[in-house]
């Protein structure tokens, strides 16, 4: 029998149960479909990284690439090679679920089976339930149940005797022109494993270093996980048996990723709408010149501007700074979280719908485990606390590198360096945010 392996968010050969299941069925055609529904709205960094990741995968697997509607392309391809099965890792996202159901129906009409094996998660959404068989709405009890549920060991490596089928007509991977100056991380399974093992040697320091954007204290694995160049099972297996705050905290970060995936699975509407709908009633301001200043990293608040400039230069932003910049947009500029979430997804290489949009809702006070809306980050004190030496600000706002206080430059320093005055007064806007919050509580 012949099978098709339809790659999506699993661009690797090791620990890929769907790929192993396809190969067990017989000679396998590896397939990737450039779906306009996903490709067109993606920002340039994500497009470029995806292409690089596919090129890396092609060094190990002869992936055929097609462009178009997967419902048509997958069925046509399976019929062309005489496949009896199409294998995938299950997709739990709002669009992915609808797409896969449509593909499954079309394949069934053609006498072909869609076989789902595994997922991008250690524990797939809808698996972890409370004693009443309900999904969790709060992270801490979810994380305990998630750990108790456990996950299977990583699957094996790609077999040496793998047999491949090939398509005669495939499309070339597109060249994606990035804005001048942007440098993306190296893509692919080999890069993911190298980065992971380099971080694993430093995981003991993670709990202390992860909140300091001026040091290399995070794993930088989010983009590798986004595209499935490494599976969280592999990471969790390597962490097994490691004690200490660093390893424990890192396991919790994996649990957060899976919690948000579960929340989005249960409430697909929250990709765009408020999890707590009362926050939709709050008074917000339309995006204007201040929003553009936020996007471009020229708000006059150094830690905010450093983060927004890092985002545009690298397709990544430190997680602590993501929270600071998000709080500034929602609570200092009074712009709804959806505008910021869309901007992040345009620039983030690791842009993941569940993690990104529910992270924004956390900051906006409308999500699960929400940071209370009345908790308004002071961008200056946040900068001093988490970037005490101002190394991060100096790197990304280089005009402030030599001023006396990069976190709060004087008017004279701003004038001399060309760095702007603050677009708003934080103290006044904090009170404005609290007043607007009181209006929806009344």
């Amino acid at each position: 029998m012949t099978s098709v392996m339809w790659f999506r968010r699993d661009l690797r050969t090791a620990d890929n149960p769907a790929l192993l299941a396809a190969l067990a069925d017989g000679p396998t055609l590896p397939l990737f479909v450039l779906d306009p529904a996903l490709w067109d709205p993606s920002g340039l960094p994500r497009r470029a990284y995806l292409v690089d990741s596919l090129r890396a995968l092609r060094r190990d697997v002869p992936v055929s690439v097609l462009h178009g509607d997967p419902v048509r392309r997958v069925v046509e391809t399976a019929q062309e090679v005489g496949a009896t099965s199409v294998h995938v890792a299950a997709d739990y996202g709002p669009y992915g679920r609808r797409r896969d159901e449509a593909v499954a129906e079309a394949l069934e009409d053609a006498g072909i089976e869609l076989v789902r094996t595994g997922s991008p998660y250690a524990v797939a959404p809808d698996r972890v339930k409370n004693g009443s068989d309900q999904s969790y709405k709060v992270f801490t009890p979810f994380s305990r149940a998630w750990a108790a549920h456990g996950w299977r060991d990583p699957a094996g490596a790609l077999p040496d005797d793998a047999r491949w089928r090939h398509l005669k007509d495939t499309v070339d991977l597109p060249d994606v022109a990035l804005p001048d100056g942007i440098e993306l991380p190296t893509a692919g399974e080999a890069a993911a494993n190298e980065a992971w093992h380099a971080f694993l040697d430093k995981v003991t320091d993670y709990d202390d270093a992860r909140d300091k954007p001026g040091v290399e204290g995070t794993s930088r694995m989010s983009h590798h996980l986004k595209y499935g160049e490494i599976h969280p099972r592999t990471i969790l297996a390597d962490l097994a048996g490691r004690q200490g705050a660093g390893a424990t905290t890192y396991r919790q970060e994996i649990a957060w990723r899976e919690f948000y995936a579960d929340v989005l699975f249960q409430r697909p509407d929250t990709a765009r709408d408020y999890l707590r709908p009362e926050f939709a009633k709050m008074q917000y301001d339309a995006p204007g010149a201040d929003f553009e200043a936020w996007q471009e990293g020229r708000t006059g608040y150094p830690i905010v501007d450093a983060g927004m400039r890092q985002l545009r230069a690298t397709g990544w932003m430190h997680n602590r700074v993501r929270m600071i910049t998000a709080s500034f947009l929602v609570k200092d500029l009074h712009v709804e979280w959806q505008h910021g979430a869309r901007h992040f997804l345009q620039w983030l290489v690791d842009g993941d719908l569940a993690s990104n949009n529910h992270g924004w809702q956390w900051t906006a006070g409308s999500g699960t485990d929400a940071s209370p809306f009345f908790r308004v980050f002071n961008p200056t004190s946040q900068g001093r606390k988490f970037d005490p030496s101002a190394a991060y600000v100096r790197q990304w706002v280089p005009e402030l590198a030599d001023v006396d206080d990069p976190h709060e430059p004087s008017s004279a320093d701003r004038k001399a360096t060309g760095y702007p005055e603050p677009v708003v007064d934080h103290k006044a806007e904090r009170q404005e945010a609290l007043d607007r919050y009181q209006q929806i509580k009344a």
Side-chain angles (χ1 to χ4, degrees), residues 8 11 32-35 38-40 42-59 61 63 65-67 171-178 184-189 223 226-227 229 349:
R8 288 97 68 88
L11 305 183
F32 189 92
V33 179
L34 289 171
D35 181 354
L38 296 175
W39 177 266
D40 292 349
S42 291
L44 293 177
R46 269 194 293 162
R47 291 185 188 182
Y49 190 89
L50 171 60
V51 169
D52 287 349
S53 187
L54 285 167
R55 286 180 176 139
L57 180 62
R58 273 182 161 178
R59 290 195 282 269
V61 176
V63 182
V65 176
L66 297 175
H67 183 278
V171 300
D172 293 331
L173 287 168
D175 291 322
V176 180
L178 290 171
L184 300 185
T186 304
E189 183 176 11
H223 51 281
K226 157 70 179 175
Y227 292 97
E229 296 167 339
V349 171

Side-chain angles (χ1 to χ4, degrees), residues 119-174:
S119 77
Y121 307 103
V123 181
D126 209 35
R127 295 279 180 84
V128 177
K129 301 292 184 70
N130 62 22
S132 301
D133 199 35
Q134 299 295 312
S135 297
Y136 286 94
K137 296 178 174 60
V138 177
F139 172 71
T140 299
F142 170 90
S143 67
R144 295 194 193 104
W146 174 83
H149 179 284
W151 38 85
R152 66 167 184 76
D153 292 334
L158 183 69
D160 294 332
D161 60 352
R163 293 178 294 164
W164 305 113
R165 293 289 305 272
H166 303 265
L167 279 183
K168 294 179 180 178
D169 298 317
T170 65
V171 300
D172 293 331
L173 287 168

Side-chain angles (χ1 to χ4, degrees), residues 141-436:
F142 170 90
S143 67
R144 295 194 193 104
W146 174 83
H149 179 284
W151 38 85
R152 66 167 184 76
D153 292 334
L158 183 69
D160 294 332
D161 60 352
R163 293 178 294 164
W164 305 113
R165 293 289 305 272
H166 303 265
L167 279 183
K168 294 179 180 178
D169 298 317
T170 65
V171 300
D172 293 331
L173 287 168
D175 291 322
V176 180
L178 290 171
D180 290 341
I182 189 167
E183 295 184 11
L184 300 185
T186 304
E189 183 176 11
N193 282 289
E194 181 179 354
W196 169 241
H197 288 291
F199 172 75
L200 192 57
D201 292 336
K202 303 181 295 183
V203 73
T204 53
D205 302 323
Y206 178 71
D207 187 58
D208 179 62
R210 69 191 177 104
D211 271 330
K212 299 174 181 177
V215 303
E216 291 294 330
T218 63
S219 68
R220 301 292 292 267
M221 294 300 297
S222 53
H223 51 281
H224 296 304
L225 286 165
K226 157 70 179 175
Y227 292 97
E229 296 167 339
I230 191 170
H231 197 280
R233 275 187 307 262
T234 301
I235 288 173
L236 291 165
D238 287 341
L239 289 172
R242 288 181 180 252
Q243 303 302 315
T248 298
T249 300
Y250 198 86
R251 276 189 287 267
Q252 288 292 94
E253 295 301 317
I254 299 294
W256 269 109
R257 179 177 181 265
E258 308 217 338
F259 174 60
Y260 280 152
D262 188 75
V263 171
L264 186 59
F265 176 81
Q266 307 299 336
R267 288 281 307 277
D269 59 300
T270 60
R272 303 287 183 266
D273 297 329
Y274 289 86
L275 183 73
R276 298 170 62 188
E278 63 268 27
F279 279 85
K281 302 174 184 176
M282 187 179 291
Q283 177 188 349
Y284 297 99
D285 293 351
D290 289 349
F291 177 64
E292 293 177 3
W294 175 84
Q295 290 177 308
E296 296 168 6
R298 48 180 180 84
T299 67
Y301 285 92
I303 192 70
V304 173
D305 293 341
M308 300 307 292
R309 294 184 193 186
Q310 182 186 35
L311 174 62
R312 289 206 176 209
T314 68
W316 185 80
M317 189 195 298
H318 189 279
N319 188 61
R320 169 58 56 176
V321 187
R322 295 188 198 200
M323 291 188 279
I324 296 170
T325 57
S327 177
F328 186 84
L329 181 68
V330 175
K331 298 174 184 178
D332 285 72
L333 301 186
H334 316 298
V335 173
E336 282 192 276
W337 66 266
Q338 294 95 329
H339 297 285
R342 281 195 294 270
H343 180 75
F344 271 30
L345 286 177
Q346 280 296 303
W347 286 93
L348 285 171
V349 171
D350 64 13
D352 176 88
L353 185 65
S355 294
N356 181 70
N357 289 26
H358 275 283
W360 271 90
Q361 291 223 50
W362 182 92
T363 301
S366 63
T368 59
D369 291 81
S371 171
F373 189 86
F374 52 79
R375 182 189 182 196
V376 182
F377 285 152
N378 181 315
T380 303
S381 60
Q382 287 280 305
R384 294 194 195 285
K385 179 177 180 180
F386 295 108
D387 185 29
S389 69
Y392 182 73
V393 166
R394 286 188 170 96
Q395 179 181 0
W396 294 108
V397 191
E399 60 265 41
L400 299 180
D402 297 323
V403 305
D404 290 338
D405 185 357
H407 286 302
E408 197 170 10
S410 66
S411 291
D413 284 334
R414 291 172 185 269
K415 185 174 181 180
T417 62
Y419 186 66
E421 293 289 337
V423 294
V424 294
D425 176 81
H426 170 70
K427 183 177 179 181
E429 300 309 330
R430 175 183 181 277
Q431 187 59 52
E432 175 67 18
L434 297 179
D435 290 345
R436 295 187 187 195

